[in-house]
Amino acid sequence: MEMPSPNAAILARKAELIAQLQRVLPDDAIISDEVETRAYECDALTAYKCPPMLAVLPRSTQEVAAVLRICHQAGVPVVPRGAGTSLAGGALPTADCVILGVARMTEVLETDYENRIIRVQTGRTNLSVSGAVEEEDFFYAPDPSSQLACAIAGNIAMNSGGAHCLKYGVTTNNLLGVTMVLMDGTVIEVGGAHLDAGGLDLLGVICGSEGQLGVVTEATLRILRKPEGARPVLIGFDSNEVAGACVSDIIKAGILPVAIEFMDRPCIEACEAFARAGYPMCEALLIVEVEGSQEEIAYQLGLITAIARRHNPVELREAGDAEEAARIWLGRKSAFGAMGQINDYMCLDGTIPVSALPQVLRRIEALSGEFGLKVANVFHAGDGNMHPLILFDANKEGDLETCEAFGAEILKLCVEVGGCLTGEHGVGIEKRDLMLHQYAADDIEAQLRVKDVFDPKWLLNPAKVFPLSTTDTRRGPSLAAQ
Amino acid sequence: MKMMTPQSEADLAECIAGASGPLWIQGGDTRGCSGSGTVLSTRGIAGVTLYEPGSLTLVVKAGTPVAEVKTLLRGENQQLAFEPMDHRVVLGTAGEPTMGGVFAANVSGPRRIQVGAARDFLLGVRFVDGRGQVLRNGGRVMKNVTGYDLVKLMAGAHGTLGVLSEVALKVLPLAETMTTLAVRNIDLASGVRALSAALGSPFDVTGAAYDPQAQTAYVRLEGFAASVAYRARELDKRLRVFGEVEELTDSASLWRDIRDVRDFAGRPGDVWRISVKPTDAVHLIPALAATRTLCDWGGGLVWALMPEGDDVRAKMTVPGHATLVRATSNTNTVSRHHPEPAPLAALSAGLRAQFDPRGVLNPGLMG
């Protein structure tokens, strides 16, 4: 993975920069020691590592603004960091950058049940936002699988999703407002407790901009009342095609389940060996979950099982109680752990039109043969977001590279059938060089122009999202000007 | 006034690239706004590109009439869940609303409070920017975080960043049944509180409006018949503490009228659309001294019929923004869109300069 080489002129001024930062931050908020900065050398894409020049951990919007003002003046690149759980390398440093971590900004600023909103500092973890409103039976809907650890700041940067977004939407659909600091230190308020944007939908473009437009320090989030209950049904099929047709029929029947999860045979086998959830050995498994009162759940599950029966399932298991529900989810929820036990794995994140599912799975199987690496598929089937897990051996020379090449082919395939490179993880560095497969040069240029407006010197997370060849003239001048 | 009606995206790009002065972008011409310059209509760029009911996905060209799309969707028991309003009612205009127009103005109706706005359903766009370049962002799939979300930026940009040529959107199933609980003889403060209670319940409320003239709060439930009946029973218990509750089983026209602010139609004055924190409606409405008002979105959307020339923004005591939707000639000095705070105005102006460097697309409309 190519990253821009560090700017020697910036590295030479490290001491000067520390002195400036010490004037605006308490000592414990500045990490400059070569050992301690190691903690920030990577995120959850651990294949790539590079310790930053410095890391800072401000506690307020004002401190963030002060840091950015100094870095802006000094022409130092800044890489914002939430909890460091990005699977795409969104928080990977360069050696000449300052990591700006929001991990110490975890306060709940306001909860308002009448208006169904919560305002938090963005270092707060996703799950603890729901935790803060749990006593009133409310929750925050987007539920990325890293929700125990990941921060709202990162959720906003990557527009994170989760298993339940078929019904509740992703981060952008649940974000009402932000306090954001621009690279030059200007603090802006976008949106708020009211519902629609006044002028242009700046909030819409900020969400998912991977920390390249500004540092979001506070967020107003939509909270929802918890449903009365939820229950899944497990359905096994002897072919991927039939499972795909069943998903389509459920949706066409007017039922909107809260989640439809799909697992293929390699995935079922691995999960079963690991978690012993009692899954049937078949080609494809669906877990469909619905919400509501007991009667509403029973009614919807009745409709779903009637549709499923028309497709001759090899297994149909309705959860009668909480324990059976947990058992149905057990295997799916341990999918990643199960893979980890077999091998090293790489988790992909493309999205495809649901109708292309059987075709894509057949092609992935063929590619698996060509590259000589096994792959298992877990899939948010309702919205077409697939997570192929490619198994490889990190200790075997060349295996990582083969795995990456295989992954790239799968993502290109997603684009080919009308889908996209990333459904919920973000581009980061991982999919950066594939962007030109999805977008024409002009389409990329239009996105770069947005960054030109928010961050004219291209200092915020500059080496991410877009192929370096498309951004070098923009990243170049700002450094040369120093 | 000169008018151009390109028949394809390529034609559209040529019209914009060749423009020597301001262009006034028009969808179905239902808004009754007119600007200076040549009219550029998207009506010729119409038709359904793709419809996959099993994937809840629809792709249509921008000039496609909304009515045509609704008919198509109804055939598969599906709908535009964000319930776009029909401006012709309150504006007294003709014309035919188009899909491009709906998204360019991010037009959403009562269901917005629960399912999201038009922008939340927009999956992908093709558009021509002010340089005459054909651009594309997003796609046709529901989850997509590949690069910046220009889709959201285009929704609600009123054509100032580019002219939409094609939109891909998510559609939803049509509900089997609908019912409405009306809480009668309830004042504004209690009415908004009742709506908050309903929206804060686990019963999936899909409409929450208050009519100050009728002193009535309306709460809508939709879904499978058995489920709606159950939720209506449960909500009834919770709403009874606020006043007398009546169930209106035949309420489709009630919600259409709320959506279209039919009550203001034909009455003299200016029509304002004000977006605030829902409970702030209680403070806002008395301060307006409006001729008539109507609250939707649990109070978050306040429609106000104001005496001609009265500037609502000067009377706003709470945060939010106001859009002038229907103006008489006496009110022409007031800007349609709410002025933005300086740092946001600078960003918006910067974006317009990037996407439309010659300033030919609806110049001055948004700032």
Side-chain angles (χ1 to χ4, degrees):
Chain A
M1 187 62 58
E2 189 198 352
M3 288 297 275
S5 35
N7 184 326
I10 291 175
L11 294 173
R13 294 203 314 269
K14 179 176 172 179
E16 194 185 316
L17 186 69
I18 293 173
Q20 278 183 298
L21 290 170
Q22 278 168 339
R23 273 178 236 136
V24 298
L25 291 178
D27 281 349
D28 74 341
I30 304 170
I31 295 158
S32 57
D33 178 81
E34 270 175 36
V35 176
E36 286 181 70
T37 48
R38 274 274 156 84
Y40 300 91
E41 67 183 2
C42 69
D43 51 26
L45 184 68
T46 52
Y48 300 97
K49 295 186 167 99
C50 172
M53 175 170 67
L54 294 173
V56 295
L57 300 171
R59 285 187 172 83
S60 67
T61 301
Q62 289 66 37
E63 286 186 358
V64 170
V67 168
L68 289 179
R69 214 169 289 126
I70 289 169
C71 293
H72 183 251
Q73 228 154 40
V76 177
V78 172
V79 174
R81 181 181 170 105
T85 59
S86 171
L87 291 164
L92 177 74
T94 49
D96 58 0
C97 88
V98 171
I99 284 277
L100 195 166
V102 293
R104 287 182 181 166
M105 299 176 60
T106 59
E107 297 290 305
V108 172
L109 304 167
E110 182 190 359
T111 43
D112 178 346
Y113 295 106
E114 274 197 300
N115 288 299
R116 301 163 301 284
I117 54 164
I118 184 168
R119 203 157 59 84
V120 297
Q121 285 187 313
T122 55
R124 195 168 182 88
T125 60
N126 174 293
L127 198 60
S128 74
V129 171
S130 283
V133 294
E134 204 170 19
E135 56 178 16
E136 295 288 332
D137 275 335
F138 276 74
F139 73 112
Y140 174 61
D143 59 340
S145 52
S146 56
Q147 69 180 154
L148 188 65
C150 65
I152 292 298
N155 288 183
I156 293 170
M158 295 309 199
N159 188 15
S160 304
H164 290 75
C165 37
L166 182 57
K167 179 167 178 192
Y168 296 114
V170 295
T171 302
T172 192
N173 313 112
N174 292 278
L175 177 69
L176 292 170
V178 294
T179 300
M180 183 169 93
V181 189
L182 300 177
M183 187 63 214
D184 68 3
T186 309
V187 178
I188 60 171
E189 298 285 340
V190 187
H194 55 274
L195 289 158
D196 279 350
L200 293 175
D201 191 351
L202 299 177
L203 190 61
V205 77
I206 288 166
C207 189
S209 61
E210 306 207 8
Q212 292 197 312
L213 302 185
V215 177
V216 176
T217 55
E218 294 174 15
T220 305
L221 307 169
R222 180 169 83 131
I223 50 172
L224 299 171
R225 180 65 185 263
K226 275 189 197 163
E228 290 176 276
R231 220 158 7 116
V233 57
L234 178 144
I235 318 165
F237 293 100
D238 56 14
S239 87
N240 291 329
E241 277 87 348
V242 178
C246 183
V247 169
S248 177
D249 283 355
I250 291 170
I251 289 171
K252 271 196 276 194
I255 308 161
L256 200 61
V258 68
I260 306 180
E261 297 290 295
F262 176 107
M263 296 161 74
D264 70 355
R265 181 183 269 278
C267 187
I268 298 165
E269 283 173 357
C271 291
E272 192 50 31
F274 180 74
R276 307 205 183 283
Y279 284 175
M281 283 303 126
C282 55
E283 293 307 311
L285 258 192
L286 295 179
I287 299 174
V288 186
E289 181 157 276
V290 295
E291 288 181 345
S293 65
Q294 286 309 317
E295 294 113 320
E296 290 175 287
I297 289 172
Y299 180 72
Q300 292 179 77
L301 288 183
L303 293 175
I304 290 167
T305 50
I307 292 166
R309 284 213 174 84
R310 292 206 294 272
H311 292 279
N312 301 316
V314 297
E315 176 92 18
L316 210 158
R317 197 182 300 164
E318 221 176 287
D321 54 31
E323 198 185 320
E324 283 174 31
R327 219 165 163 69
I328 287 178
W329 277 113
L330 177 68
R332 166 62 186 90
K333 290 197 169 160
S334 45
F336 289 49
M339 293 302 154
Q341 199 159 70
I342 302 176
N343 240 329
D344 300 302
Y345 70 87
M346 176 188 256
C347 172
L348 303 179
D349 169 48
T351 308
I352 58 169
V354 180
S355 54
L357 170 64
Q359 173 198 351
V360 168
L361 289 180
R362 268 197 307 274
R363 185 81 190 110
I364 289 178
E365 202 183 332
L367 285 168
S368 166
E370 283 171 38
F371 283 92
L373 291 176
K374 283 196 177 147
V375 59
N377 286 291
V378 241
F379 192 91
H380 306 303
D383 47 33
N385 187 196
M386 58 190 317
H387 294 305
L389 303 169
I390 306 176
L391 306 180
F392 71 103
D393 183 351
N395 294 322
K396 196 167 139 194
E397 197 170 331
D399 232 27
L400 172 66
E401 289 71 21
T402 309
C403 174
E404 285 181 335
F406 181 11
E409 286 309 309
I410 293 177
L411 294 180
K412 286 183 207 169
L413 173 63
C414 291
V415 174
E416 237 171 73
V417 299
C420 66
L421 296 172
T422 171
E424 56 186 3
H425 294 175
V427 178
I429 52 159
E430 192 203 15
K431 280 144 287 194
R432 188 186 67 186
D433 298 329
L434 293 172
M435 282 290 273
L436 284 163
H437 286 278
Q438 177 153 350
Y439 286 116
D442 285 347
D443 301 326
I444 299 273
E445 177 69 21
Q447 298 179 38
L448 303 183
R449 284 182 187 141
V450 171
K451 183 163 169 67
D452 289 343
V453 172
F454 282 81
D455 175 24
K457 289 168 98 175
W458 273 71
L459 292 171
L460 267 174
N461 219 5
K464 310 286 167 64
V465 187
F466 307 105
L468 293 181
S469 62
T470 65
T471 62
D472 52 6
T473 55
R474 285 172 156 94
R475 285 178 291 109
S478 64
L479 294 181
Q482 298 313 311
Chain B
M1 191 179 269
K2 204 182 149 211
M3 178 152 170
M4 296 191 284
T5 312
Q7 298 297 306
S8 68
E9 187 181 71
D11 278 357
L12 174 67
E14 233 172 82
C15 289
I16 295 175
S20 52
L23 297 172
W24 181 252
I25 319 303
Q26 197 174 82
D29 192 21
T30 61
R31 304 291 160 76
C33 334
S34 54
S36 58
T38 305
V39 172
L40 177 60
S41 167
T42 58
R43 283 300 305 279
I45 308 167
V48 175
T49 310
L50 174 144
Y51 178 32
E52 273 186 17
S55 314
L56 302 173
T57 315
L58 175 71
V59 184
V60 292
K61 299 214 166 70
T64 313
V66 173
E68 200 180 305
V69 167
K70 282 185 174 173
T71 307
L72 174 73
L73 295 178
R74 211 173 298 124
E76 294 286 345
N77 272 317
Q78 296 186 338
Q79 62 170 337
L80 299 174
F82 54 93
E83 216 176 358
M85 81 176 283
D86 184 343
H87 282 82
R88 292 173 296 187
V89 176
V90 70
L91 298 179
T93 51
E96 186 67 44
T98 62
M99 294 299 286
V102 162
F103 286 108
N106 189 26
V107 182
S108 320
R111 210 178 285 107
R112 187 259 177 275
I113 187 67
Q114 196 232 17
V115 301
R119 56 89 97 171
D120 295 295
F121 286 83
L122 191 58
L123 305 174
V125 289
R126 294 180 64 93
F127 63 99
V128 179
D129 73 2
R131 301 165 198 253
Q133 262 176 344
V134 176
L135 299 171
R136 177 172 76 83
N137 191 260
R140 50 163 288 207
V141 289
M142 278 182 221
K143 278 166 84 179
N144 186 347
V145 294
T146 319
Y148 296 166
D149 194 348
L150 304 187
V151 175
K152 300 280 183 307
L153 194 58
M154 293 303 294
H158 293 266
T160 60
L161 301 180
V163 181
L164 294 172
S165 51
E166 188 175 84
V167 291
L169 56 140
K170 175 184 174 180
V171 297
L172 281 184
L174 204 55
E176 188 180 278
T177 49
M178 173 207 298
T179 196
T180 298
L181 300 181
V183 190
R184 306 286 189 194
N185 303 315
I186 187 169
D187 65 16
L188 173 64
S190 306
V192 170
R193 265 207 308 280
L195 298 181
S196 286
L199 289 165
S201 77
F203 304 120
D204 265 350
V205 167
T206 66
Y210 177 74
D211 181 346
Q213 284 72 236
Q215 297 269 298
T216 303
Y218 299 103
V219 174
R220 179 172 64 179
L221 294 168
E222 294 174 293
F224 294 111
S227 162
V228 167
Y230 163 78
R231 286 181 282 143
R233 274 196 312 276
E234 290 298 314
L235 258 182
D236 185 278
K237 288 182 215 160
R238 285 164 173 76
L239 291 175
R240 229 173 279 166
V241 300
F242 296 98
E244 175 202 339
V245 180
E246 182 190 346
E247 184 170 355
L248 314 171
T249 46
D250 186 13
S251 55
S253 62
L254 169 77
W255 288 101
R256 198 165 53 234
D257 291 350
I258 291 170
R259 182 194 76 185
D260 297 340
V261 217
R262 182 174 290 274
D263 180 45
F264 293 8
R267 295 181 194 274
D270 297 330
V271 174
W272 289 81
R273 183 184 177 280
I274 311 162
S275 184
V276 292
K277 179 164 84 176
T279 53
D280 278 350
V282 176
H283 311 291
L284 175 74
I285 288 176
L288 292 179
T291 314
R292 298 179 89 81
T293 52
L294 177 67
C295 299
D296 197 353
W297 302 353
L301 173 61
V302 176
W303 288 98
L305 183 68
M306 300 293 291
E308 281 181 26
D310 224 348
D311 189 350
V312 152
R313 290 167 198 142
K315 297 180 171 180
M316 281 180 68
T317 49
V318 294
H321 56 90
T323 311
L324 180 56
V325 174
R326 190 183 80 193
T328 45
S329 50
N330 296 335
T331 321
N332 277 344
T333 48
V334 181
S335 65
R336 284 187 171 264
H337 292 274
H338 203 104
E340 291 173 287
L344 297 191
L347 290 172
S348 296
L351 289 169
R352 281 193 296 271
Q354 289 284 0
F355 283 86
D356 178 24
R358 297 178 300 155
V360 295
L361 303 177
N362 285 345
L365 180 64
M366 291 194 82

